[in-house]
Amino acid sequence: MVDLSVKIGDLTLQNPVTPASGAFSWEYADIIDLNRLGGLVAKTICREPRFGNPTPRMAETEAGIIQSIGLPGKGINYFLENIVPEYKKFTPPLIVSCSSEDPEEFAVLTKELSIPEVDVVECNISCPTRNTTGGNFSLNSEHTKSVVGKLREATDKPLWAKLSPNAGDLVSIALAAEEAGADAVCIANTFLSLKIRTDNFKPALGNKYGGMVSPALKPIVVRMVYQCAKEVKIPIIGIGGITKAEDVVEYMLAGASAVGIGYAGFRNPSALTSIIDDLEAWCDSRGIERVSDLIGAVDDDMEMDTLNAASAGV
Amino acid sequence: MVDLSVKIGDLTLQNPVTPASGAFSWEYADIIDLNRLGGLVAKTICREPRFGNPTPRMAETEAGIIQSIGLPGKGINYFLENIVPEYKKFTPPLIVSCSSEDPEEFAVLTKELSIPEVDVVECNISCPTRNTTGGNFSLNSEHTKSVVGKLREATDKPLWAKLSPNAGDLVSIALAAEEAGADAVCIANTFLSLKIRTDNFKPALGNKYGGMVSPALKPIVVRMVYQCAKEVKIPIIGIGGITKAEDVVEYMLAGASAVGIGYAGFRNPSALTSIIDDLEAWCDSRGIERVSDLIGAVDDDMEMDTLNAASAGV
Amino acid sequence: MAGHVIEDSYSTAAIRIEDQDPEPSRPVGEFICNVATNDWVNDEYKLISLDVHEKALTAAAGQFFHLLCPSPDGAEVWMRRPMSVYRVDKQNRRVEFLYKCEGRGTKGMSTLEAGDEFNISGPLGIGFWLKPEWKNIVVLGRGVGLATLAPLSQLASDQGVGITAILSARNPDVVMSRDLFQSYNADIIEVLDTDGSSEVSNVERIIQSLIGEGKADAFFTCGSNRLLNLMKQMGKKHGIPGQVAMEQIMVCGFGACYVCVRTFEIDGDRVLKRVCREGPVFNMEEAVGW
Amino acid sequence: MAGHVIEDSYSTAAIRIEDQDPEPSRPVGEFICNVATNDWVNDEYKLISLDVHEKALTAAAGQFFHLLCPSPDGAEVWMRRPMSVYRVDKQNRRVEFLYKCEGRGTKGMSTLEAGDEFNISGPLGIGFWLKPEWKNIVVLGRGVGLATLAPLSQLASDQGVGITAILSARNPDVVMSRDLFQSYNADIIEVLDTDGSSEVSNVERIIQSLIGEGKADAFFTCGSNRLLNLMKQMGKKHGIPGQVAMEQIMVCGFGACYVCVRTFEIDGDRVLKRVCREGPVFNMEEAVGW
Ligand SMILES: Cc1cc2nc3c(=O)[nH]c(=O)nc-3n(C[C@H](O)[C@H](O)[C@H](O)COP(=O)(O)OP(=O)(O)OC[C@H]3O[C@@H](n4cnc5c(N)ncnc54)[C@H](O)[C@@H]3O)c2cc1C
Ligand SMILES: Cc1cc2nc3c(=O)[nH]c(=O)nc-3n(C[C@H](O)[C@H](O)[C@H](O)COP(=O)(O)OP(=O)(O)OC[C@H]3O[C@@H](n4cnc5c(N)ncnc54)[C@H](O)[C@@H]3O)c2cc1C
Ligand SMILES: Cc1cc2nc3c(=O)[nH]c(=O)nc-3n(C[C@H](O)[C@H](O)[C@H](O)COP(=O)(O)O)c2cc1C
Ligand SMILES: Cc1cc2nc3c(=O)[nH]c(=O)nc-3n(C[C@H](O)[C@H](O)[C@H](O)COP(=O)(O)O)c2cc1C
Ligand code: FES
Ligand code: FES
């Protein structure tokens, strides 16, 4: 039987499969056994209550969806009093995602969240729909470094930084997060998108822009994880387009130590636990003893002679 | 009957539908009437002969393909002698895409291509699979400005710059191209991606990295076109994921003056002309007299009150 | 439990009819059902009847399932579609949905044939509830709203509650759910656009007289903003409680994503609630018409 | 010409059977065919027969079509699959493909049933050619290569050329195309893994004796690198010309994208050629085995 556990810094996850922030809540216990997950990742919370963005908040696209929720929530107090206890009914580590447009407030929020019940603070510095130009710190390595540095000072908890796929040079952003003291980077949040309806010439979402989510995007994010894994030393949580155990394997081969899953749980609410089952079966059938052996195990030593390559069979 | 013509600078296209470079050749005359296209866009050529990348050059992904061809070709002389005459059997303007990793050679190539038979020089400064870090000028606004400036000096032909979706701040790149004298920007080339096979742990493509191409990506590129159209004054050619007339309309609403189509012609080789037919029918059925009236016509004046929005029906 | 074939495009542990329920303590399941029938009831609506795992039979009136629709055109349908249960047939172990064929998902659904597999998850959300003191209720629906209201007749009948169903429609051909209401002995009143009887003023008169006859201990509606506003106002005036089933675009169906919010008014405050979790059935007095 | 319904997911002007050819001067078309039959010929292979527009009947032996496969699993199949024509039946206006069910595309293809629509484009590429001086040819194929070689029997028969077909297979059950070769009066030699007769040395002996009998004016092969190398070497030794059909992953099928290149050797130089455009049938002496 394969050992599915992975380590993210000092924290051990019983397996590498976690839900993605915003795509999960304790309410999924209505259908799956949350105690089987690698971690419990709460929806990004903000310090003050927020309504979030205007509806419609989701539109289907050619292949996937764009969505713009706008981080609605009842604020930190409600979260600590009412939501944390819900998660604490389950055993996997609690990873709390949080966000703010103001670095000072962000640090205070991080500090307030650093209670014993919380195992990891994940800073969402990449929500594409809050502010498409500034504020989204992880579009810029200086901003990333400065905000992550402030949060690092504010907490002793493991600090994970969730990065944006909309940044051009993601490697430099990941390096900045590492340098500023992040214990892990989550790659990636959603792709900034726009859908315009041709019937009424209006944007399809209430907030105009939305973040795209789709299995289609997996090869782009796998590339980002691979590039970053070559440069940073801290663990990477790969997030984007995972719908089956082999996708988890692919992310791990590229260099991820764990993964986050959103869309698949929308499409198939029983997906997360079945992906864990499948991952176990996949490893066992291949005689893999520790799933952590897959991390970065891509065989990327390539034949680079075009003519040789093109004389091989299909 | 709608007037389908659009202007890109001084050049008039009979309609906004052109093929995308590398996804088209005169050989498509075997199935469609090339004289119906808005323009003929040749595959990117390099000055010297090149074999291109190792096979496999294409792999299917969850939703679309990744490909890495590596700009194979027989060089400029062969191109001028053998390929230009093939295109000149047809009437639409000839748009020649070209590329080089060296700005000086790039300028020479541009000059050599500036013959009467060529109507537009499109500089491909964004091929993601040639060099994933440098060389791909359009990842950086300084590089963009400098190389486009050199090409501008080398030719009097209309100069279009094809940009990369892998750049973080595409608006600044588009502005740099404009400032350097580009007559139009083509948005965008392909998304840098990686697929790792879980059966043998190797990258699926001979060149490891590949550019992703898929209808799935359209909302991301429409967003880029929209953002750039707000800032640059030169026309934009929208390229990415178009498979039907409504997609052309969507790009135009976002601010594109014309479009380029690749994948759709692979999936349905009769797509390009049928999209033109459909576009005409679409405009006629809505009483649109000039397709150019659609350019930038998005109605982006949004209701921003969340509670109001959420009390409206679905 | 279904085998997890990882060569498929998606991993899932969906429960087939013959499977043992892997999680008997959990109220919701992802099911692979088999289509029994899928027939047109009129030009726009179809009724689909599914052979299901018995766990799915727990669905209550007003609850919904989230349906993974097949493709109508070769391109994948990426999001599930919410549909309220039209009928639970415990004897034959079937659930039924009455649906309007409109967009890609419902068009895909309409291609399903007997024997085909169909992935649905649920039951989800909060359904209608009947208070012991309600002896007679009035149900007012239009269009596809009637699909949502129909199982109320079963619920009411089970609890010995009298029901008057006002069915509003464009013309007699598209009055739906008549048979189902009838089979549970509901009094049926059809109001039509064709003869003008569906006008709000006439519906108001009808409800007024039902109130007069003591047949309106509670109101239930779905499917028309106009009718919601009418019932809400009459309920307020006469102190009659009510429930309304609401719709909103959904993603998760579990309360996690906050996509499906709508505005409600509680003690003068406007708040957002999730249709999938706090609804889809809400107190009528809190509902904000649009 | 088919109407362009822009509500569909993709715009296309594909030609249906009853349509007038909108572009009679162009050799290639995108066709919406109707499946006539789609049956298993053994455990791994199916034969699909399609009612087609008459323009598609111009396909020559060795040419291929590019097939837009339906989904086997709800997720779209994004790229066409190249398949060489197995048989053109002009009388019944049908084309047939013999295919191995392997990956998603071919599995999707195997779900097609009589009456279903199927989008194919072609005919594409350069097929086999027969020189007038060739009176007797030897065809050597294995596995799915036999599907590609089969129409050669029709071509040879039409031109009065004698044909010896050496059909190689794992066991007697999976020898394919036997009937088709037989119907065109080919001499058939089966060689099998089960009895060892498929070994290269034995096949060499067989070919050697055919050469001796004057029955080998030209060689044709497809489907096995081992057999290609054998024929190439024997052709070189005895000065017998030959042709081979090659495979490579494709995108466009028209020669535009340069995805489908393979290496060839011409006068000692190694060059790349496009399988879809310069092939799929190539001069055997230029082919580089792998
Ligand atoms: C709780 C609930 C119960 C419902 N019960 C029924 C029923 O019994 N019968 C019935 O015919 N319809 C019902 N609906 C409406 C049904 O969900 C939509 O008609 C359906 O989703 C439209 O899908 P489509 O593919 O045809 O349309 P498309 O326009 O292709 O849908 C695009 C997207 O918008 C969403 N969407 C579109 N209209 C609605 C809507 N009215 N409500 C929610 N999402 C929508 C779709 O789910 C999809 O995500 C119900 C909706 C809800 C919320
Ligand atoms: C000119 C030509 C003629 C062919 N004729 C036949 C035939 O008559 N019968 C038959 O069974 N097969 C034939 N093949 C092979 C056939 O194209 C592949 O078996 C098929 O594409 C595999 O698709 P899949 O979905 O089953 O496999 P997948 O593994 O899902 O395919 C993934 C991708 O790889 C490509 N691919 C995989 N194998 C091949 C291959 N051998 N050649 C080219 N592309 C491949 C697919 O087209 C697809 O793009 C031919 C190939 C070529 C190039
Ligand atoms: C409806 C929805 C809400 C989301 N909300 C959040 C959020 O609050 N915080 C966050 O960091 N990411 C959020 N995301 C992004 C996801 O965590 C994840 O990065 C993304 O969905 C990609 O993963 P996937 O392809 O597996 O869905 C959200 C995604 C969706 C679809
Ligand atoms: C096989 C292939 C080859 C390509 N070659 C080139 C090229 O040579 N030059 C170039 O600028 N873009 C090239 N592209 C990118 C396309 O021009 C286009 O930007 C991209 O395919 C997105 O458009 P689409 O979604 O309509 O396919 C290529 C794309 C494909 C699929
Ligand atoms: S659909 Fe996700 S919260 Fe209701
Ligand atoms: S498949 Fe495009 S050139 Fe052959």
Side-chain angles (χ1 to χ4, degrees), chain B residues 20-23 43-44 65 67 69 71 97 122 124 162 188-190 213-214 239-242 260-263 266, chain D residues 257 259:
Chain B
S21 176
K43 175 160 185 66
T44 301
I65 58 170
Q67 48 80 33
I69 319 294
L71 305 181
S97 171
E122 179 174 308
N124 175 358
K162 186 153 176 187
N189 214 310
T190 58
V213 165
S214 166
I239 308 173
I242 293 171
I261 301 182
Y263 175 78
F266 299 145
Chain D
C257 74
V259 161

XYZ file of all heavy atoms in Angstrom, chain B residues 20-23 43-44 65 67 69 71 97 122 124 162 188-190 213-214 239-242 260-263 266, chain D residues 257 259, ligand 4:
241
model
N -5.076 32.448 -39.100
C -3.971 32.761 -38.189
C -2.696 32.149 -38.746
O -2.715 31.053 -39.312
C -4.259 32.213 -36.790
N -1.602 32.856 -38.564
C -0.326 32.387 -39.090
C 0.027 31.005 -38.537
O -0.111 30.738 -37.351
C 0.778 33.373 -38.725
O 2.020 32.876 -39.152
N 0.478 30.138 -39.431
C 0.922 28.812 -39.020
C -0.182 27.777 -39.030
O 0.074 26.576 -38.976
N -1.407 28.272 -39.137
C -2.557 27.370 -39.150
C -3.209 27.395 -40.529
O -4.333 26.950 -40.700
C -3.558 27.804 -38.080
N 2.515 31.338 -43.019
C 3.187 30.837 -41.814
C 4.447 31.651 -41.565
O 5.151 32.047 -42.486
C 3.569 29.363 -42.007
C 4.373 28.803 -40.855
C 4.360 27.298 -40.769
C 5.088 26.837 -39.493
N 4.391 27.243 -38.264
N 4.747 31.879 -40.295
C 5.942 32.627 -39.929
C 7.176 32.054 -40.623
O 7.433 30.850 -40.547
C 6.172 32.558 -38.407
O 5.030 33.090 -37.752
C 7.417 33.357 -38.014
N -5.411 21.534 -27.756
C -4.136 20.899 -28.054
C -3.001 21.782 -27.547
O -3.168 22.983 -27.337
C -3.930 20.693 -29.576
C -3.999 22.041 -30.334
C -4.951 19.731 -30.127
C -3.579 21.947 -31.801
N 0.953 22.494 -28.985
C 1.736 22.196 -30.172
C 3.035 22.974 -30.118
O 3.125 24.027 -29.491
C 0.950 22.516 -31.437
C 0.265 23.874 -31.464
C 1.175 25.016 -31.816
O 2.111 24.860 -32.596
N 0.917 26.173 -31.220
N 5.866 23.553 -33.034
C 6.338 23.234 -34.385
C 7.776 23.707 -34.547
O 8.598 23.024 -35.163
C 5.448 23.933 -35.449
C 3.965 23.858 -35.062
C 5.699 23.370 -36.823
C 3.374 22.493 -35.051
N 8.800 26.650 -35.990
C 9.030 27.476 -37.175
C 9.937 26.816 -38.220
O 10.920 27.403 -38.668
C 9.610 28.840 -36.765
C 8.795 29.629 -35.740
C 9.477 30.965 -35.435
C 7.370 29.867 -36.198
N 4.108 36.711 -42.093
C 4.623 36.671 -40.728
C 6.093 36.263 -40.756
O 6.488 35.406 -41.545
C 3.813 35.657 -39.919
O 4.404 35.441 -38.656
N 3.962 40.986 -40.750
C 3.540 40.721 -39.369
C 4.759 40.172 -38.640
O 5.329 39.166 -39.058
C 2.411 39.690 -39.380
C 1.898 39.295 -38.009
C 0.680 38.367 -38.098
O -0.300 38.699 -38.804
O 0.722 37.292 -37.471
N 6.277 38.218 -35.765
C 5.932 37.275 -34.704
C 6.993 37.414 -33.616
O 8.059 36.822 -33.701
C 5.898 35.866 -35.294
C 5.660 34.799 -34.251
O 5.544 35.090 -33.061
N 5.588 33.564 -34.690
N 2.690 40.715 -33.495
C 1.900 39.666 -32.831
C 2.410 39.458 -31.415
O 3.564 39.124 -31.192
C 1.975 38.369 -33.621
C 1.066 37.296 -33.046
C 0.634 36.307 -34.090
C -0.189 35.189 -33.489
N -0.471 34.156 -34.490
N -3.848 37.133 -29.715
C -2.530 36.839 -29.199
C -2.005 35.561 -29.847
O -2.743 34.830 -30.503
C -2.582 36.649 -27.686
N -0.783 35.260 -29.568
C -0.188 33.979 -29.910
C -0.656 32.914 -28.904
O -1.647 33.125 -28.201
C 1.350 34.113 -29.902
C 1.992 33.225 -30.959
O 1.683 32.043 -31.036
N 2.876 33.777 -31.763
N 0.071 31.829 -28.777
C -0.421 30.708 -27.964
C 0.102 30.749 -26.523
O 1.097 31.404 -26.226
C -0.021 29.374 -28.607
O 1.399 29.322 -28.738
C -0.631 29.249 -29.995
N -3.657 25.815 -27.699
C -4.611 26.367 -28.656
C -5.947 25.698 -28.369
O -6.023 24.472 -28.335
C -4.121 26.054 -30.090
C -5.219 26.271 -31.107
C -2.891 26.898 -30.431
N -6.951 26.499 -28.120
C -8.246 25.921 -27.766
C -9.319 26.987 -27.732
O -9.070 28.119 -27.297
C -8.161 25.291 -26.373
O -9.443 25.016 -25.875
N -7.153 37.224 -31.895
C -6.861 35.837 -32.295
C -6.890 34.922 -31.082
O -6.118 35.099 -30.144
C -5.457 35.719 -32.931
C -5.269 36.735 -34.052
C -5.228 34.295 -33.442
C -3.838 36.783 -34.597
N -7.760 33.941 -31.120
C -7.764 32.961 -30.038
C -9.131 32.346 -29.817
O -10.042 32.992 -29.310
N -9.284 31.115 -30.235
C -10.474 30.359 -29.877
C -11.732 30.678 -30.651
O -12.822 30.294 -30.242
N -11.596 31.349 -31.783
C -12.801 31.670 -32.567
C -13.253 30.446 -33.350
O -12.469 29.846 -34.077
C -12.521 32.833 -33.535
C -12.262 34.104 -32.731
C -13.679 33.015 -34.528
C -11.751 35.264 -33.570
N -8.191 36.673 -36.354
C -7.436 35.578 -36.951
C -7.973 34.271 -36.412
O -8.373 34.193 -35.247
N -7.980 33.253 -37.251
C -8.574 31.970 -36.868
C -7.628 30.819 -37.198
O -7.190 30.690 -38.347
C -9.924 31.756 -37.591
C -10.880 32.897 -37.242
C -10.512 30.398 -37.228
C -12.253 32.765 -37.869
N -7.346 30.002 -36.231
C -6.497 28.849 -36.446
C -7.239 27.553 -36.201
O -7.700 26.883 -37.125
N -7.415 27.221 -34.934
C -7.988 25.930 -34.550
C -9.252 25.559 -35.322
O -9.411 24.410 -35.754
C -8.291 25.928 -33.038
C -8.996 24.688 -32.600
C -8.300 23.500 -32.414
C -10.382 24.671 -32.429
C -8.951 22.333 -32.051
C -11.041 23.515 -32.066
C -10.328 22.354 -31.881
O -10.983 21.205 -31.539
N -8.780 23.734 -38.361
C -8.332 22.346 -38.198
C -9.532 21.446 -37.943
O -9.655 20.362 -38.485
C -7.382 22.210 -36.995
C -6.126 23.017 -37.094
C -5.563 23.594 -35.961
C -5.477 23.188 -38.310
C -4.388 24.322 -36.032
C -4.302 23.922 -38.387
C -3.762 24.495 -37.249
N 0.420 22.909 -41.390
C 0.902 23.102 -40.021
C 2.264 22.485 -39.721
O 2.885 22.802 -38.720
C -0.132 22.594 -39.029
S -0.230 20.786 -38.932
N 2.945 19.629 -38.566
C 2.946 18.766 -37.388
C 3.348 17.337 -37.778
O 4.018 16.638 -37.029
C 1.548 18.785 -36.721
C 1.346 17.587 -35.786
C 1.369 20.097 -35.949
C -0.021 24.238 -35.463
C 0.087 25.698 -35.174
C 1.131 26.423 -35.709
C 1.257 27.781 -35.456
N 2.274 28.479 -36.017
C 2.343 29.822 -35.840
C 3.308 30.590 -36.519
O 4.105 30.080 -37.278
N 3.344 31.921 -36.292
C 2.456 32.547 -35.465
O 2.518 33.759 -35.308
N 1.504 31.841 -34.826
C 1.421 30.501 -34.990
N 0.436 29.799 -34.358
C -0.509 30.501 -33.505
C -1.762 30.886 -34.287
O -1.458 31.804 -35.297
C -2.808 31.501 -33.368
O -2.252 32.627 -32.724
C -3.300 30.521 -32.322
O -3.496 29.260 -32.901
C -4.582 30.999 -31.642
O -5.652 31.058 -32.529
P -6.783 29.905 -32.611
O -7.296 29.729 -31.240
O -7.792 30.414 -33.561
O -6.080 28.653 -33.101
C 0.319 28.431 -34.622
C -0.738 27.688 -34.091
C -0.870 26.348 -34.365
C -2.005 25.608 -33.799
